[in-house]
Amino acid sequence: MTEAILLVGGKGTRLRPMTVNTPKPMVPAAGVPFLTHQLARARAAGVEHIVLATSYLAEVFEPYFGDGSALGLHIEYVTEKEPLGTGGAIRNVASRLHSAPDDPVLIFNGDILTGLDIRALVDTHRTSGADISLHLTRVEDPRAFGLVPTDDTGRVTAFLEKPQTPEEIVTDQINAGAYVFRRSVIDSIPTGRPVSVERETFPDLLASGAHLQGMVDSTYWLDLGTPQAFVRGSADLVLGRAPSPAVPGRHGERLVLEGATAAPDAKLTGGTVVCAGATVGEGATVEGSVIMSGAVVEPGALIVDSLVGEGARIGARSILHGAVIGDGAQIGPDNELRDGVRVWCDARLTAGSIRFSSDQ
């Protein structure tokens, strides 16, 4: 296998309205745009040619990644004129593929962070003779996902919508967003209209007798659909829990990028990332958080599991816990923001405006 399709855009931009002014795949995760980690892992698995199927804000990707040579790849870009869904996006880039009809093509979603053994998925595809092979993962609570039960050989038996009752939860296996398609199957997807692989392509192929194989891989997996998940994913990359050859530095408790400044007594733990141009002041504590470029954390502030946008300022002694602070926002001293709070870009909170703890 030497080719892959990377699906970016659509729900891969869900972070944007709540935080920064660029789409999520370009927000730095562990110091580099998130897509860099996916591209680097694909290259390490033997992929040489990748087609980026883009839609929303597609123009930001090519100026950064170019032809892919810096990553040892050949990257091409195809932009949808109208939203086509996952299946439509795959079909829309078919003309850029070079594979023969029976060759395997790797396809993966742009908003999933995973430790999937890509070579093992391809090997499963080849040895099983499948038309499509799917990466499946197990989750404790599958109610928010579509279920994918398999038989004793790993062959997929059904695609079930999000279960509503306990009786409908027949498996804890879910679609993890990475596939290997037989090249000829891609050409069978309808053109010129939106198509969902989850709701149309996969069920229709199964009903027609096609062979869909599941490979359960229970290594690291995270859907980066929320800001909290994005922050967690970035921290896990720094800590080494999520594997990536693209992390710009050693694994550890913190990653302070070149051009960033942290006071000697600042405590940075839990996989915290301080981006270039950011400043963390004296006595500040930052745990498991991302401090974007140009942001300022003033002395004595406490920041836990939070995302601080570009150019934002967190005032002295302010507390953030599970917060998302938009670009350019100004949080005055002695504020306390907790439990999923969102502060929009360029907003202003004066000193002591908000607190969650009691007066006792």
Side-chain angles (χ1 to χ4, degrees):
M1 177 203 64
T2 60
E3 287 197 298
I5 299 170
L6 175 55
L7 305 172
V8 296
K11 74 173 185 173
T13 61
R14 284 178 288 177
L15 190 64
R16 183 177 180 265
M18 293 179 283
T19 57
V20 294
N21 294 322
T22 53
K24 182 170 63 180
M26 298 301 288
V27 175
V32 296
F34 170 65
L35 286 185
T36 308
H37 300 290
Q38 294 187 310
L39 294 169
R41 294 197 72 247
R43 181 67 189 94
V47 173
E48 298 175 356
H49 176 221
I50 291 184
V51 183
L52 262 66
T54 65
S55 55
Y56 183 65
L57 286 177
E59 67 275 7
V60 304
F61 301 108
E62 188 168 4
Y64 186 88
F65 294 111
D67 64 2
S69 56
L71 295 170
L73 291 164
H74 173 217
I75 298 178
E76 296 186 68
Y77 304 83
V78 177
T79 301
E80 300 170 8
K81 295 180 180 179
E82 299 291 339
L84 293 173
T86 48
I90 293 168
R91 184 64 178 88
N92 192 48
V93 306
S95 63
R96 301 294 184 93
L97 299 174
H98 311 311
S99 304
D102 285 336
D103 286 346
V105 178
L106 174 68
I107 301 173
F108 53 111
N109 291 338
D111 56 356
I112 299 295
L113 181 60
T114 177
L116 168 68
D117 185 338
I118 296 172
R119 292 184 185 273
L121 181 62
V122 176
D123 289 343
T124 294
H125 180 79
R126 284 176 169 149
T127 57
S128 67
D131 297 295
I132 296 177
S133 297
L134 298 87
H135 172 210
L136 307 179
T137 192
R138 294 189 171 98
V139 294
E140 291 185 7
D141 184 359
R143 290 175 296 176
F145 305 93
L147 308 184
V148 187
T150 55
D151 65 16
D152 292 342
T153 69
R155 188 160 181 162
V156 174
T157 59
F159 290 91
L160 306 176
E161 291 298 322
K162 298 175 182 178
Q164 302 299 314
T165 66
E167 292 76 19
E168 293 176 316
I169 302 177
V170 298
T171 181
D172 59 357
Q173 297 174 177
I174 67 166
N175 178 358
Y179 324 106
V180 176
F181 276 52
R182 188 189 302 272
R183 171 67 179 83
S184 58
V185 174
I186 294 175
D187 292 328
S188 72
I189 299 173
T191 61
R193 65 174 178 85
V195 179
S196 166
V197 291
E198 299 87 354
R199 293 187 295 273
E200 182 176 347
T201 305
F202 294 159
D204 287 356
L205 285 168
L206 196 63
S208 71
H211 182 175
L212 280 71
Q213 186 75 15
M215 187 193 83
V216 178
D217 184 313
S218 297
T219 56
Y220 185 95
W221 184 86
L222 183 65
D223 181 346
L224 301 180
T226 67
Q228 286 85 356
F230 181 84
V231 171
R232 176 184 162 194
S234 179
D236 287 345
L237 284 162
V238 174
L239 291 167
R241 295 171 181 165
S244 170
V247 177
R250 296 181 178 178
H251 294 141
E253 290 291 320
R254 66 182 191 176
L255 176 62
V256 180
L257 297 175
E258 185 177 354
T261 302
D265 64 346
K267 186 177 181 181
L268 309 177
T269 62
T272 285
V273 178
V274 183
C275 295
T279 301
V280 179
E282 296 178 354
T285 297
V286 186
E287 178 182 341
S289 298
V290 178
I291 312 300
M292 298 287 287
S293 61
V296 175
V297 178
E298 294 185 354
L302 170 62
I303 301 176
V304 180
D305 297 338
S306 297
L307 175 58
V308 178
E310 294 182 2
R313 178 176 289 269
I314 309 303
R317 301 173 302 281
S318 283
I319 297 172
L320 307 182
H321 198 294
V324 178
I325 310 300
D327 290 355
Q330 305 290 305
I331 309 302
D334 300 307
N335 280 288
E336 182 184 359
L337 305 176
R338 292 182 177 271
D339 303 324
V341 68
R342 306 285 189 271
V343 177
W344 290 93
C345 297
D346 300 316
R348 299 289 187 271
L349 291 182
T350 58
S353 295
I354 297 176
R355 67 183 299 179
F356 281 71
S357 59
S358 70
D359 294 331
Q360 301 300 319

